[in-house]
Amino acid sequence: MKKKLIAGNWKMNGSLAANETLVKAVVAGLPASLTCDVAVCVPAPYLAQVQTLCAGTGIDLGSQDVSAQASGAFTGEMSATMLKEFGVRYALVGHSERRQYHGETDEVVANKAKAALANGITPVVCIGETLAEREAGQTEVVVKRQLAAVIHTNGHCISEIVVAYEPVWAIGTGKTASPEQAQAVHAVLRAQLKAATDKADRIKILYGGSMNAANAKELLAQPDIDGGLIGGAALKAPDFLTIIRAAA
Ligand code: PGA
């Protein structure tokens, strides 16, 4: 059976002091034999700090973005080769907050995934519908379009990505998709991946959007839910640890 992945997305939260307290508490509470993969996707200024804190702990480091460009006049951006120097294993791409506030299109997201893959970083490709899209019955169309762009640009490398299904209406709202709602979308995504690669079964499809200590077990029990991308609950060590245990 493939290992589940529990990835924390700290978003724009943290400080040197708070990060140290959080990571040390998570490390102290990790199950002795960890049977799932664990990662934290941290703000860029803290990559070096968290790299050191996580060294030798079994917790992998992730960034919250990566540039599609290799280098040059792209003020504010960070390249995959730079991230690699800090031991970054995962890069979130296309988080709904990036799509919404930074105008990231499906094409930009696909190119970011490509830059990550070319440098040995696993892109965690975030997709998901808004409330208006769900209410208009467009969920499947939207998530398939978002994933299709990444498949189109990345060809056979697609088997190396992680997908995160994050319904926008569930992010930070406390409204989680029900396990059945989430599984239904994950099954659609799995079928789409199967049509693109014969290695689709090994691609992890995470659920994200108000996953927490209380609902994680039921969500993670769904056949096509291979882990979670956790925002708010990843900032509280006891909650993050409960989710890790639910996946282990
Ligand atoms: P949330 O965020 O768990 O706070 O809803 C998830 C995410 O945005 O990745």
Side-chain angles (χ1 to χ4, degrees):
M1 217 178 89
K2 81 182 149 228
K3 274 190 185 179
K4 290 198 179 347
L5 167 61
I6 300 299
N9 172 13
W10 290 2
K11 310 195 181 193
M12 198 170 71
N13 293 293
S15 67
L16 289 171
N19 302 344
E20 186 171 342
T21 306
L22 175 59
V23 174
K24 284 188 170 165
V26 172
V27 169
L30 280 179
S33 57
L34 196 57
T35 53
C36 66
D37 291 329
V38 177
V40 285
C41 300
V42 310
Y46 299 130
L47 285 170
Q49 181 205 17
V50 181
Q51 179 186 25
T52 304
L53 286 169
C54 290
T57 65
I59 301 177
D60 289 314
L61 187 59
S63 67
Q64 297 176 9
D65 191 21
V66 58
S67 177
Q69 312 295 333
S71 66
F74 301 100
T75 301
E77 298 216 18
M78 51 201 179
S79 71
T81 50
M82 293 172 185
L83 295 174
K84 199 72 193 161
E85 287 198 294
F86 292 90
V88 165
R89 170 150 183 212
Y90 299 99
L92 303 184
V93 297
H95 189 280
S96 64
E97 287 146 21
R98 303 284 322 165
R99 293 180 191 260
Q100 187 180 350
Y101 306 132
H102 302 272
E104 291 191 9
T105 62
D106 293 341
E107 193 191 351
V108 166
V109 174
N111 286 324
K112 288 185 169 193
K114 188 173 187 178
L117 286 167
N119 289 282
I121 292 175
T122 301
V124 178
V125 176
C126 304
I127 59 179
E129 82 288 1
T130 63
L131 184 59
E133 287 163 344
R134 175 162 281 264
E135 285 175 345
Q138 294 295 301
T139 299
E140 241 184 71
V141 174
V142 170
V143 296
K144 284 171 91 172
R145 187 202 74 222
Q146 291 171 328
L147 184 56
V150 179
I151 292 172
H152 176 76
T153 302
N154 289 282
H156 69 274
C157 293
I158 201 71
S159 59
E160 304 303 318
I161 73 167
V162 169
V163 177
Y165 168 57
E166 298 205 302
V168 178
W169 48 271
I171 294 178
T173 58
K175 274 191 224 156
T176 321
S178 68
E180 296 72 27
Q181 279 175 323
Q183 168 57 30
V185 177
H186 281 232
V188 166
L189 300 172
R190 182 83 64 202
Q192 188 178 5
L193 291 166
K194 278 197 171 142
T197 170
D198 55 10
K199 295 182 188 137
D201 280 330
R202 70 180 226 204
I203 301 176
K204 291 184 173 92
I205 309 179
L206 315 183
Y207 169 79
S210 298
M211 191 188 269
N212 58 38
N215 61 28
K217 203 162 186 85
E218 218 188 336
L219 285 159
L220 293 168
Q222 301 303 310
D224 287 300
I225 300 187
D226 306 313
L229 182 56
I230 324 294
L235 298 172
K236 297 177 216 134
D239 293 26
F240 195 50
L241 285 165
T242 301
I243 297 170
I244 291 168
R245 279 193 296 270

